[in-house]
């Protein structure tokens, strides 16, 4: 870039700045510059067409005074003086213009029009607006009338014919004042809004810093993606998860190349079923378990996703949370292994006890021996069944043998068997079942479910109440409801009620016996039939368990 072009570019950039952003000295110079440049043009016209005027001492004084005033604009340290002291410049301009008019009006008329520049300056400054308007009228009037009084040419017509210029200057002053005041109000409004925006920006930056600190501190992976699947945010833990799932041979793998395995730890999860892909498609899910990585470094991760919406309610992306639950999964596996081992150890002595009890019963024992032996056999069989169920649920399967059964009869039998226990607990127990309702189910297993639910309903109604077992057919399914008016459960307890060994917080505070296996086994039995079971409860108001199995 050549020097002239660079200089011109620099000057253009200089004039692009808002006026109020310049230094005070620069603003004073810029305000005086239009009059100074016009004075130079006036001097050129005089030199070119009226050279005699250049010898007039008054006109020369006008030119010299304008040079001196411009020099003052540059040299005076205005920022060190009282702020409005620069307004002395337009006042000096009025005096200078009056001298120039007197010295050059015989050659070039209209020099008094130069007073428009100090008028604009005074009114545009926004300071002392009333004084500026008065001066806009009186200063031009003085420029014209003072010479008339000096020369003695004072008459009505001479004074009246020169009033147009002061009136015109007053009109210009009023217009400029109105525009200036309006612009100043707008400027103040903009400055206030700018301060608000700056405050909002500072607050936003603080919140962003806080959010980043929190995200980098928590020990869960957080990933935010937009509607197209592009990463918006990824914290430190998630970067570690991504690195864990990346194959060592691929520097920057895509989603399909990541090592994401199913619960068996060996089967790769299809791309469409991977957490990030499901989230990009707008799905919302909770505790979706996958395994990341391979070999000894493999980790169990539960993922949850929630969709983000824009102002119009349209899908804008998702936030996915990754929680490392490897230790929990290993602990649960160890617990299941322990239960399985203990169950195996229980089965052998129980089988032996049952065998000897059967031998004793076959020897026709006395009447006083028969009842204790029968009790031993019944409880041993029940304990052996429980052990078998524990082993079956540990292996993820529970064998059922469906056949034609009158389910209504099973309900009545279960209610009848539980009646003594209900009477002892002062619970009103009744069955609401049709005369007959046939279904293709495993009768003993369904009886086990009924016994568990009815027993729980009575047990968790410690102060008496009502328990109703109802049965009906709905849409090709057998629907059974066991309702009580007992202590009920919180929503948090309802979410865990079918977990093995789970007992509600209210039950743990009481002396109600139990180990938390009955509902888990009941759920396994119902699901083995291809059915469903769920709970509806309100704390302090009662509970209803509903299970459905196909007819």
């Amino acid at each position: 870039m050549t020097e002239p072009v660079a200089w011109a570019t620099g000057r253009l950039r200089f004039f692009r700045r808002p006026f109020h952003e310049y230094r005070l000295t620069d603003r004073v110079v810029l305000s005086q510059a239009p009059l100074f440049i016009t004075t130079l043009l006036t001097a050129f016209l005089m030199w070119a067409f009226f050279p005699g005027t250049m010898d007039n001492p008054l006109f020369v004084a006008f030119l010299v005074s304008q040079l001196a005033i411009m020099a003052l604009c540059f040299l005076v340290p205005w920022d060190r003086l009282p702020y409005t002291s620069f307004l002395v410049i337009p006042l000096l301009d009025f005096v200078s213009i009056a001298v120039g008019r007197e010295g050059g009006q015989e050659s070039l008329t209209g020099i008094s029009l130069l007073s428009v520049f100090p008028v604009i300056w005074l009114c545009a400054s926004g300071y002392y607006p009333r004084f500026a308007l008065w001066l806009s009228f009186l200063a031009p009037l003085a420029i014209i009338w003072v010479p008339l009084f000096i020369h003695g040419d004072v008459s009505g017509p001479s004074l009246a014919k020169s009033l147009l210029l002061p009136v015109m200057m007053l009109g210009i002053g009023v217009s400029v004042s109105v525009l200036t005041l309006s612009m100043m109000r707008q400027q103040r409004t903009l400055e206030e809004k700018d301060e608000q925006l700056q405050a909002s920006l500072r607050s936003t930056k603080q919140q962003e810093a806080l959010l980043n600190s929190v995200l980098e501190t928590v020990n869960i992976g957080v990933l935010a993606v937009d509607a197209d699947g592009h990463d918006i945010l990824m914290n430190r833990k998630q970067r570690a998860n991504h690195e864990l799932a990346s194959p060592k041979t691929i520097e920057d793998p895509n989603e399909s190349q990541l090592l994401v395995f199913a619960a068996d730890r060996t089967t790769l999860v299809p791309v469409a079923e991977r957490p990030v892909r499901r989230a990009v498609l707008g799905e919302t899910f909770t505790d979706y378990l996958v395994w990341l990585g391979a070999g000894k470094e493999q980790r169990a991760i539960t993922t949850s996703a929630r969709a983000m919406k824009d102002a119009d309610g349209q899908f804008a992306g998702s936030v996915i949370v990754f929680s490392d639950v490897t230790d929990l999964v290993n602990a649960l596996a160890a617990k299941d292994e322990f239960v399985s081992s203990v169950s195996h150890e229980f089965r052998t002595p129980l089988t032996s006890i049952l065998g000897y009890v059967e031998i004793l019963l076959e020897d026709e024992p006395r009447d006083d021996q028969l009842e204790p032996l029968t009790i031993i056999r019944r409880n041993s069989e029940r304990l052996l069944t429980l052990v078998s169920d524990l082993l079956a649920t540990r292996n993820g399967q529970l064998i059922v043998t469906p056949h034609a059964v009158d389910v209504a009869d099973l309900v009545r039998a279960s209610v009848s068997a539980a009646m003594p226990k209900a009477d002892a607990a002062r619970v009103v127990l009744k069955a609401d079942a049709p005369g007959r309702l046939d279904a293709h189910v495993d009768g003993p297993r369904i009886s086990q479910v009924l016994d568990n639910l009815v027993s729980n309903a009575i047990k968790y109604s410690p102060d008496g109440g009502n328990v109703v077992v109802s049965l009906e057919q709905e849409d090709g399914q057998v629907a059974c409801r066991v309702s009580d008016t007992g202590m009920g459960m919180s929503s948090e307890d309802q979410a865990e009620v079918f977990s093995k060994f789970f007992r509600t917080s209210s039950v743990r505070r009481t002396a109600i016996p139990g180990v938390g296996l009955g509902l888990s086994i009941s759920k396994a039995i119902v699901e083995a039939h291809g059915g469903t079971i769920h709970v509806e409860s309100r704390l302090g108001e009662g509970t209803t368990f509903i299970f459905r199995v196909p007819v």
Side-chain angles (χ1 to χ4, degrees):
M1 183 181 292
T2 61
E3 290 186 5
V5 173
W7 179 85
T9 304
R11 300 305 297 175
L12 286 174
R13 289 175 181 171
F14 178 80
F15 286 109
R16 285 177 185 171
R17 294 167 56 191
F19 185 76
H20 67 278
E21 292 185 1
Y22 291 106
R23 295 184 305 115
L24 182 57
T25 298
D26 293 337
R27 279 182 278 162
V28 172
V29 170
L30 288 174
S31 298
Q32 180 63 18
L35 176 57
F36 182 72
I37 294 171
T38 306
T39 300
L40 295 178
L41 292 175
T42 302
F44 175 76
L45 292 175
M46 288 295 188
W47 175 78
F49 299 103
F50 309 101
T53 305
M54 299 298 293
D55 297 329
N56 188 311
L58 291 177
F59 188 78
V60 172
F62 164 63
L63 297 179
V64 172
S65 64
Q66 283 298 307
L67 286 172
I69 291 172
M70 179 56 78
L72 287 175
C73 293
F74 274 107
L75 299 177
V76 173
W78 300 106
D79 52 345
R80 299 180 185 175
L81 300 176
Y83 186 72
T84 56
S85 59
F86 60 85
L87 293 179
V88 72
I89 298 297
L91 298 180
L92 294 175
D93 284 335
F94 283 125
V95 177
S96 175
I97 292 168
V99 173
R101 177 181 181 277
E102 188 63 21
Q105 65 176 341
E106 294 181 358
S107 303
L108 188 64
T109 60
I111 292 179
S112 56
L113 289 173
L114 294 176
S115 60
V116 71
F117 293 111
V119 166
I120 291 175
W121 187 351
L122 283 171
C123 294
S125 69
Y127 300 104
Y128 318 112
R130 292 183 180 179
F131 173 75
L133 290 177
W134 278 106
L135 203 60
S136 299
F137 176 76
L138 295 177
L141 185 64
I143 290 173
I144 299 172
W145 277 13
V146 168
L148 294 178
F149 282 100
I150 292 175
H151 296 302
D153 185 15
V154 179
S155 63
S158 63
L159 294 176
K161 69 179 182 180
S162 58
L163 286 175
L164 180 60
L165 178 64
V167 171
M168 183 179 69
M169 293 300 169
L170 177 61
I172 293 174
V174 171
S175 300
V176 172
S177 294
V178 170
L179 290 174
T180 299
L181 292 175
S182 176
M183 291 177 63
M184 290 177 69
R185 284 193 294 269
Q186 292 179 359
Q187 179 67 27
R188 284 194 294 270
T189 302
L190 289 175
E191 288 176 353
E192 290 174 358
K193 291 183 178 179
D194 182 64
E195 290 179 0
Q196 294 174 358
L197 288 174
Q198 292 296 332
S200 298
L201 180 60
R202 288 192 296 270
S203 176
T204 301
K205 287 183 177 180
Q206 291 174 353
Q207 291 177 358
E208 181 182 4
L210 176 61
L211 175 62
N212 288 334
S213 298
V214 171
L215 290 177
E216 293 299 322
T217 302
V218 297
N219 199 35
I220 60 174
V222 179
L223 173 65
V225 295
D226 60 19
D228 297 322
H230 300 129
D231 294 348
I232 301 174
L233 180 148
M234 181 186 294
N235 71 343
R236 171 190 56 81
K237 182 63 175 178
Q238 183 53 25
R239 289 192 291 272
N241 290 337
H242 184 79
E243 183 177 352
L244 175 65
S246 301
K248 304 300 182 184
T249 57
I250 302 176
E251 182 176 353
D252 186 18
N254 56 38
E255 181 65 29
S256 62
Q257 295 171 322
L258 294 176
L259 302 177
V260 182
F261 297 95
D264 61 4
R265 307 178 65 168
T266 57
T267 304
L268 283 170
V269 177
V271 175
E273 297 178 13
R274 296 189 176 191
V276 175
R277 184 59 182 169
R278 290 177 60 187
V280 171
L281 294 176
E283 287 190 51
T284 296
F285 53 88
T286 302
D287 294 336
Y288 176 49
L289 180 66
V290 294
W291 287 81
L292 300 184
K296 295 181 179 179
E297 297 179 353
Q298 196 175 51
R299 307 293 293 179
I301 306 292
T302 61
T303 61
S304 301
R306 294 293 181 271
M308 298 185 294
K309 305 290 184 180
D310 59 18
D312 298 326
Q314 301 297 318
F315 177 71
S318 285
V319 176
I320 310 104
V321 177
F322 298 75
S323 302
D324 191 332
V325 293
T326 307
D327 294 338
L328 177 60
V329 170
N330 290 338
L332 290 174
K335 184 187 72 173
D336 287 344
E337 191 65 35
F338 172 75
V339 171
S340 178
S341 299
V342 171
S343 299
H344 276 294
E345 293 298 324
F346 280 171
R347 174 175 282 180
T348 301
L350 283 172
T351 304
S352 177
I353 291 171
L354 279 172
Y356 281 106
V357 169
E358 292 294 340
I359 293 174
L360 291 173
L361 288 172
E362 288 176 358
D363 289 341
E364 298 180 359
R366 299 191 307 270
D367 291 342
D368 60 335
Q369 296 175 335
L370 180 61
E371 183 177 359
L373 289 173
T374 304
I375 292 173
I376 292 173
R377 182 176 65 180
R378 183 172 67 247
N379 285 282
S380 298
E381 288 175 345
R382 182 179 179 183
L383 188 55
L384 186 60
T385 301
L386 179 60
V387 168
S388 300
D389 289 341
L390 280 173
L391 290 173
T393 53
R394 162 68 180 85
N395 296 327
Q397 51 181 271
L398 200 151
I399 299 173
V400 296
T401 308
H403 53 279
V405 175
D406 181 5
V407 183
D409 189 51
L410 297 180
V411 169
R412 286 188 288 269
S414 179
V415 169
S416 177
M419 197 63 73
K421 184 177 180 181
D423 292 338
R426 303 189 307 279
V427 171
V428 178
L429 174 62
K430 64 178 182 178
D432 181 11
R436 186 177 183 86
L437 180 54
D438 291 328
H440 202 65
V441 296
D442 188 325
R445 289 296 189 182
I446 295 299
S447 293
Q448 187 178 356
V449 174
L450 287 167
D451 290 342
N452 273 331
L453 297 181
V454 173
S455 175
N456 281 349
I458 297 170
K459 184 164 54 175
Y460 299 131
S461 300
D463 298 324
N466 298 306
V467 174
V468 179
V469 184
S470 60
L471 182 71
E472 59 185 344
Q473 184 171 339
E474 296 177 352
D475 301 327
Q477 290 185 318
V478 173
C480 182
R481 292 173 173 82
V482 180
S483 303
D484 65 63
T485 56
M487 61 179 61
M489 289 181 285
S490 66
S491 57
E492 293 80 6
D493 288 338
Q494 292 177 52
E496 301 289 338
V497 72
F498 293 106
S499 301
K500 283 187 288 188
F501 306 107
F502 176 79
R503 305 188 75 207
T504 66
S505 55
S506 58
V507 169
R508 288 195 300 270
R509 290 192 295 267
T510 66
I512 299 174
V515 293
L517 284 172
L519 291 176
S520 173
I521 294 172
S522 297
K523 183 173 184 290
I525 292 172
V526 171
E527 290 180 347
H529 281 84
T532 59
I533 184 171
H534 69 279
V535 62
E536 297 172 357
S537 183
R538 278 192 171 187
L539 195 61
E541 297 184 13
T543 302
T544 299
F545 281 91
I546 306 104
F547 73 87
R548 295 178 174 86
V549 293
V551 173

